[in-house]
Amino acid sequence: AVFTCMPTIWHGCEQSRLPPEAAAHVLLLLFADGAQQWILVDQRPTSTDGSSEPVNKEVGDQAVVVGVPASSLAERSATFTVTLTRMYASQPVGLRIEAFDPCESLYIDSVADDVHTAIGSYNRSAPEETQIRSGDYIIAMGQKTSVSEMKRIMEDMTFDITIQRPRVFDVAVPKRGKPLGLGIKFIAASSSLTIKTVHEDGAAAAANADVRSGDHIIAVDGATGDGEVLLNMLKERENPTLRIARLE
């Protein structure tokens, strides 16, 4: 896509002409707080219903899909590749990852801030838009895309890593006396829950909630915590709102 005229700026209700040097593959986002950001794009992101506006609706007993906040529009499904270098063989990479089989990517559960790790050193000098964060997905290392090969490559001294930002959105699931109906896997120390199955007789399926196998639940009713905390909140809340991170 090439933007050479005045593209509509979401959420700012303003328009702005692109500078000549940024005539291709860029979009300016103006946010309500006055911030603005140029981003590289291939196409205008759309919401779950294919329109250009976030979805915020409630239909009868259906789940409520809450639109993506303006601050995350610039990062939605962004993909980039960086090179990580370990300075010595025993230097830790600094990533805690999850990969419950079967899967086609590695989910980054936590990122070390320590500059003595490869990732901490990289993030210290990288621009914000290409820093590696908790919640990102690793979709390739070099030319390798299988989980087993990517895990092995992380033992190398230098390797390319391709990151994809998740799509993050909220879904409210009214239980209405039913169990939530989600098969969950997690590591006790992790900061998310991985959805493995959606049971047909559960509340999520009954409410037609936009959840699927492979999604990560990263917060419940806006609260975060480790796997045990999140799981207990899912059990205790009658109408929990799930914050979902999804690879798309």
Side-chain angles (χ1 to χ4, degrees), residues 41-125:
V41 296
D42 289 323
Q43 60 184 4
R44 178 169 171 168
T46 58
S47 64
T48 54
D49 65 354
S51 68
S52 59
E53 294 298 328
V55 179
N56 192 345
K57 63 182 181 180
E58 182 173 4
V59 182
D61 293 343
Q62 302 300 302
V64 181
V65 182
V66 182
V68 180
S71 59
S72 68
L73 279 172
E75 299 169 358
R76 182 172 175 180
S77 298
T79 303
F80 57 93
T81 300
V82 302
T83 300
L84 292 183
T85 300
R86 298 163 66 200
M87 302 305 294
Y88 47 91
S90 60
Q91 183 183 30
V93 174
L95 297 176
R96 184 170 66 200
I97 60 175
E98 290 183 2
F100 293 121
D101 292 329
C103 63
E104 299 177 352
S105 63
L106 300 176
Y107 177 79
I108 300 177
D109 183 72
S110 66
V111 176
D113 293 329
D114 189 348
V115 295
H116 298 294
T117 64
I119 193 67
S121 177
Y122 164 78
N123 277 346
R124 179 65 62 91
S125 59

Side-chain angles (χ1 to χ4, degrees), residues 197-239:
T197 55
V198 180
H199 301 296
E200 294 182 358
D201 57 350
N208 195 27
D210 184 15
V211 294
R212 63 185 67 165
S213 177
D215 285 350
H216 284 81
I217 300 172
I218 58 176
V220 177
D221 292 335
T224 59
D226 61 27
E228 291 283 0
V229 170
L230 292 174
L231 186 62
N232 286 334
M233 285 193 289
L234 288 181
K235 294 177 179 178
E236 295 168 357
R237 309 292 170 85
E238 182 59 30
N239 297 293

Side-chain angles (χ1 to χ4, degrees), residues 2 8 13 20 69 74 79 125 129 134 170 176 186 199 221 231-232:
V2 178
T8 299
C13 297
T79 303
S125 59
E129 61 269 20
S134 299
D170 290 346
R176 304 188 187 283
F186 69 97
H199 301 296
D221 292 335
L231 186 62
N232 286 334

Side-chain angles (χ1 to χ4, degrees), residues 82-210:
V82 302
T83 300
L84 292 183
T85 300
R86 298 163 66 200
M87 302 305 294
Y88 47 91
S90 60
Q91 183 183 30
V93 174
L95 297 176
R96 184 170 66 200
I97 60 175
E98 290 183 2
F100 293 121
D101 292 329
C103 63
E104 299 177 352
S105 63
L106 300 176
Y107 177 79
I108 300 177
D109 183 72
S110 66
V111 176
D113 293 329
D114 189 348
V115 295
H116 298 294
T117 64
I119 193 67
S121 177
Y122 164 78
N123 277 346
R124 179 65 62 91
S125 59
E128 183 177 359
E129 61 269 20
T130 57
Q131 290 178 5
I132 299 174
R133 309 168 185 169
S134 299
D136 286 345
Y137 289 87
I138 301 172
I139 59 174
M141 288 191 180
Q143 300 300 313
K144 307 299 184 181
T145 58
S146 75
V147 168
S148 59
E149 289 176 318
M150 288 193 289
K151 287 181 176 180
R152 184 197 60 77
I153 290 174
M154 290 183 71
E155 300 175 0
D156 294 346
M157 295 297 291
T158 299
F159 53 91
D160 292 334
I161 180 171
T162 300
I163 297 293
Q164 183 162 329
R165 302 284 195 219
R167 177 187 167 217
V168 178
F169 58 97
D170 290 346
V171 177
V173 183
K175 290 184 178 178
R176 304 188 187 283
K178 293 178 176 287
L180 191 60
L182 298 178
I184 299 291
K185 283 191 176 182
F186 69 97
I187 301 172
S190 68
S191 58
S192 69
L193 303 173
T194 304
I195 298 176
K196 299 305 295 180
T197 55
V198 180
H199 301 296
E200 294 182 358
D201 57 350
N208 195 27
D210 184 15

